[in-house]
């Protein structure tokens, strides 16, 4: 039985090693490699990352990962990392399979994740980064109410090329106001 967070036909399933084949395939897609350096991580490295992912109930967890399922299909992954209880913040990430781009599933999955993350009493703020050319990911951030907080020119290197990186943020009060609104 698959258990997780459900929003109509979308399900967030806590990461387990049996998800590694889907994750490898997802990371190998041209759309994923266009914006993220995914070629260096082996199966073993990804299984280790899955095993290191904590649960929301673990008080010392430094990160969380869920795989996104729609019906019988795995469609993406969402994650939180660099969890700092002291500073009340964490960074989120997401990746959807190319076949599911443009359907709003990424926004829904990230929204479901935020719904869970903001149950953490220490959490004050979340942030994410996008490359300046990644319009789809920027659309997810905007749709969910993130604010563009700045662009760092030449901040990232992707396959040897310097890229501008955007930083987007959202506070708990932003999220709660959006939910009420």
């Amino acid at each position: 039985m698959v258990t997780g967070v459900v929003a109509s036909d979308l399900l967030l399933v806590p990461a387990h090693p049996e998800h590694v084949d889907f994750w490898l395939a997802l990371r190998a897609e041209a759309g994923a490699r266009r914006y993220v350096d995914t070629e260096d991580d082996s199966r073993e490295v990804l299984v280790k990352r899955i095993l290191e992912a904590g649960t929301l109930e673990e008080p010392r967890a430094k990160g969380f990962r869920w795989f996104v399922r729609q019906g019988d299909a795995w469609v993406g992954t969402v994650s939180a990392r660099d969890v700092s209880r002291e500073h009340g913040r964490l960074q989120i990430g997401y990746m959807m399979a190319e076949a599911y781009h443009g359907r709003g599933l990424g926004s829904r999955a990230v929204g479901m994740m935020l719904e869970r993350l903001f149950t953490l009493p220490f959490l004050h703020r979340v942030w994410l980064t996008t490359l300046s050319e990644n319009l789809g990911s920027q659309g997810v951030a905007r749709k969910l109410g993130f604010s563009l907080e700045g662009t760092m020119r030449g901040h990232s290197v992707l396959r040897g090329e310097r890229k501008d990186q955007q930083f987007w943020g959202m506070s708990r009060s932003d999220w709660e106001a959006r939910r009420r609104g």
Side-chain angles (χ1 to χ4, degrees), residues 15 32-33 46 49 74 80 89 93 108 111 118 127 161 164 180:
R33 288 194 313 268
L46 294 181
R49 286 175 57 188
W74 294 107
R89 66 181 184 222
R108 288 176 52 206
F118 279 118
W127 86 93
E161 186 179 335
D164 293 350
R180 285 191 304 270

Side-chain angles (χ1 to χ4, degrees), residues 87-101:
H87 297 285
R89 66 181 184 222
L90 57 79
Q91 180 179 5
I92 66 166
Y94 43 91
M95 184 180 291
M96 300 301 290
E98 283 183 291
Y100 298 93
H101 286 187

Side-chain angles (χ1 to χ4, degrees), residues 70-113:
Q70 183 183 39
D72 292 334
W74 294 107
V75 299
T77 183
V78 294
S79 65
R81 65 179 186 208
D82 300 328
V83 175
S84 172
R85 284 163 180 74
E86 178 182 357
H87 297 285
R89 66 181 184 222
L90 57 79
Q91 180 179 5
I92 66 166
Y94 43 91
M95 184 180 291
M96 300 301 290
E98 283 183 291
Y100 298 93
H101 286 187
R103 298 184 188 186
L105 297 178
S107 297
R108 288 176 52 206
V110 173
M112 290 166 60
M113 177 178 58

Side-chain angles (χ1 to χ4, degrees), residues 20-150:
V20 74
D21 289 331
F22 167 71
W23 200 12
L24 280 165
L26 177 64
R27 293 166 57 87
E29 290 182 353
R33 288 194 313 268
R34 184 172 37 242
Y35 301 119
V36 181
D37 188 4
T38 64
E39 297 176 17
D40 293 338
D41 292 332
S42 67
R43 172 186 214 82
E44 293 74 24
V45 167
L46 294 181
V47 167
K48 182 179 178 198
R49 286 175 57 188
I50 287 172
L51 292 172
E52 289 173 346
T55 66
L56 293 176
E57 294 76 27
E58 292 177 59
R60 297 194 193 288
K62 295 289 184 191
F64 314 102
R65 177 170 299 281
W66 295 271
F67 285 89
V68 183
R69 189 173 184 90
Q70 183 183 39
D72 292 334
W74 294 107
V75 299
T77 183
V78 294
S79 65
R81 65 179 186 208
D82 300 328
V83 175
S84 172
R85 284 163 180 74
E86 178 182 357
H87 297 285
R89 66 181 184 222
L90 57 79
Q91 180 179 5
I92 66 166
Y94 43 91
M95 184 180 291
M96 300 301 290
E98 283 183 291
Y100 298 93
H101 286 187
R103 298 184 188 186
L105 297 178
S107 297
R108 288 176 52 206
V110 173
M112 290 166 60
M113 177 178 58
L114 290 170
E115 199 63 50
R116 291 294 310 272
L117 292 172
F118 279 118
T119 67
L120 298 168
F122 71 85
L123 188 61
H124 169 72
R125 149 183 185 77
V126 297
W127 86 93
L128 63 92
T129 64
T130 65
L131 293 181
S132 293
E133 62 216 45
N134 188 343
L135 301 180
S137 191
Q138 293 165 34
V140 169
R142 281 189 188 94
K143 186 173 184 179
L144 290 170
F146 281 83
S147 297
L148 178 60
E149 296 180 339

